Amino acid sequence: MSRARVARRIATAAAYGGGGISVLGGAAAGLIFTEMRYARRRLGRAAAGEPPLTDGVYGTAFAACAGPPWRLAMLGDSTAAGLGVRRAGQTPGALLASGLAAVSERPVELHSVALPGAVSADLERQVSLLLTEPGRAPVPDVSVIIIGANDITGHVPPARSVKYLAEAVARLRTAGCQVVVGTCPDLGSVEPVGQPLRWVARRLCRQLAAAQTIAVVELGGRTVSLGALLGPEFAANPRELFGPDRYHPSAEGYQTAAMAILPTLCAAVGAWPAEERDEAARRERLLPVADAAARAVTEGGTEVSAADSPVTDAGAGRRALGAMLHRRRRRPLPAAEDAPPQEPARDTSPTCG
C-alpha cells in the first residue's frame, strides 16, 4: 500500500473516531516499541531536569517600529519545550521568536505550554491553557506545535494520535490563530535503535507524519516535515546534533529544526519577504493533499499548505483538496536572548524599514 493511501486511512480513521491502524504484526510492533522505550529510559537519565524558561518578549530592539508584538505560542513535547539545553536562547521557541522578530522587524511575545513527555492527548490541556486560563495574553497570532515522538514510543494508535492533534488545531483555528505543525521526527536516527528496528521506527514515524499533515492542512494549518530533515542530518552528525542524553537535540540540533520552521512561521503571519515568496513560488507543486503529505515526509523541511483550488485525485477518481508543496530558502537565525525581557525596550531601537 502506498504511503499516501496509508496516511489517508489513518487521517480518515481519526476524523471518524476509528481505532488504530497498524502496518506491523503484533510481534514486530511489540518489539520495536519495547526497544525504543528502553532506549529512551536509558538515555533520558542524562536529560533530567526542566527545560529553560522561555516566556517573554523577544526582538525588543524593534519595539519602536510599527505594530504591537506578535503573540507566538509553542505547544507539544520535550522538543517543543527545548529539553536538553541550558539556556533559553538555545530552545526552538526562543530561536523562532527571535527569527520572526528579525524578519518582520516587530517584537514577539512568546508563551510556551509545551511539556516534556507529552503525547498528542495532552494538546487539549495545552490549548486550554492558551485560550481559557485567566491572566493569559490574548489569543496567539500563531502557534507552533511539535508532537508525535512520544506517541510512537508510547504505542498510541496513529488514528487516535492524529485525532487529538486535529482537535487542537481546530480549536486554535476557530479562535483565529494560525497554526504551524512540525510533524513527527525520525526516531530511526536514535543510535541505540539498531537495524532492522531502525527501519521500522523510521517507517512508523513517516506514516504518522504524513497523516498529521493531511489532518492539519485540511483544517487550514501548515506543516513542516522534520522527520526526513532531522533524521539523516542527525544520523550523520550525532555528536553535534544530539544532546548529552543522545536522544534529545543539542543546541545545534534545535537550530536545525528552527531554521526549517521559521520560513513557514513567517509566511503564516504574512511576514515572509516578497522576493523570497516569489522565489518559493517557482518551486511550488500542486498535488492532492495525501500525495503532498506522502512526498513531504521524504523531503526534509518541506512545507505543506492548502491550495486555493481543488485538484483531481487520480487514486480516488474525484476532485480533492489541493495542497501546495513549498521549499522555502532557509536563512541564518539571529542570536536569541538567554533571559528574555518582559517589557519591550524603548531606547535602543534601530531604524525601522
Side-chain angles (χ1 to χ4, degrees):
M1 185 180 297
S2 71
R3 184 179 294 115
R5 289 179 62 194
V6 170
R8 170 55 71 188
R9 287 182 61 199
I10 294 171
T12 300
Y16 291 97
I21 296 177
S22 176
V23 296
L24 300 175
L31 184 60
I32 180 62
F33 292 127
T34 298
E35 175 105 353
M36 293 168 70
R37 282 195 296 268
Y38 171 73
R40 186 174 65 172
R41 284 197 303 269
R42 180 159 64 87
L43 297 177
R45 297 189 188 103
E50 298 293 328
L53 296 176
T54 58
D55 283 17
V57 179
Y58 293 79
T60 55
F62 299 107
C65 298
W70 296 110
R71 297 182 300 276
L72 167 64
M74 292 293 298
L75 302 90
D77 55 23
S78 55
T79 300
L83 185 65
V85 295
R86 295 173 181 250
R87 302 198 305 270
Q90 297 173 322
T91 64
L95 291 166
L96 289 171
S98 298
L100 176 57
V103 171
S104 64
E105 296 187 344
R106 180 170 161 183
V108 175
E109 184 177 343
L110 174 64
H111 297 275
S112 177
V113 292
L115 178 69
V119 294
S120 296
D122 191 59
L123 291 174
E124 179 182 7
R125 181 192 63 84
Q126 295 182 25
V127 172
S128 294
L129 283 175
L130 288 174
L131 300 183
T132 64
E133 185 181 51
R136 283 274 177 185
V139 173
D141 295 297
V142 59
S143 293
V144 174
I145 304 173
I146 302 175
I147 200 76
N150 295 321
D151 295 79
I152 295 291
T153 59
H155 203 177
V156 177
R160 187 179 304 166
S161 175
V162 173
K163 177 177 181 291
Y164 288 128
L165 174 61
E167 289 172 349
V169 172
R171 287 182 66 191
L172 290 167
R173 294 290 295 130
T174 299
C177 177
Q178 298 293 328
V179 179
V180 176
V181 174
T183 55
C184 182
D186 178 13
L187 294 179
S189 58
V190 177
E191 288 183 331
V193 179
Q195 295 291 11
L197 299 182
R198 186 185 295 267
W199 176 85
V200 176
R202 179 163 290 126
R203 184 177 181 184
L204 287 171
C205 292
R206 286 186 174 184
Q207 287 170 346
L208 178 56
Q212 287 176 324
T213 298
I214 293 172
V216 171
V217 170
E218 289 184 343
L219 289 167
R222 302 167 186 247
T223 63
V224 178
S225 171
L226 297 184
L229 170 76
L230 301 186
E233 293 192 25
F234 274 50
N237 303 285
R239 293 185 179 181
E240 292 79 18
L241 298 181
F242 278 112
D245 65 354
R246 316 303 297 157
Y247 186 86
H248 293 93
S250 65
E252 291 78 9
Y254 282 129
Q255 187 172 57
T256 299
M259 287 177 64
I261 295 172
L262 178 62
T264 300
L265 172 64
C266 294
V269 296
W272 200 233
E275 64 274 13
E276 297 193 22
R277 290 200 300 269
D278 293 341
E279 179 185 337
R282 290 193 291 271
R283 298 196 301 271
E284 290 176 348
R285 296 189 62 183
L286 176 63
L287 294 168
V289 64
D291 292 343
R295 190 176 295 272
V297 298
T298 65
E299 300 178 13
T302 302
E303 173 192 328
V304 182
S305 60
D308 294 333
S309 57
V311 296
T312 300
D313 186 341
R318 57 179 173 77
R319 298 290 280 173
L321 174 68
M324 297 300 303
L325 283 173
H326 306 266
R327 297 177 186 85
R328 301 186 190 274
R329 182 170 62 86
R330 298 188 223 172
R331 59 165 60 193
L333 295 171
E337 296 97 331
D338 288 332
Q342 297 301 311
E343 296 293 336
R346 299 293 179 184
D347 57 350
T348 58
S349 58
T351 301
C352 300

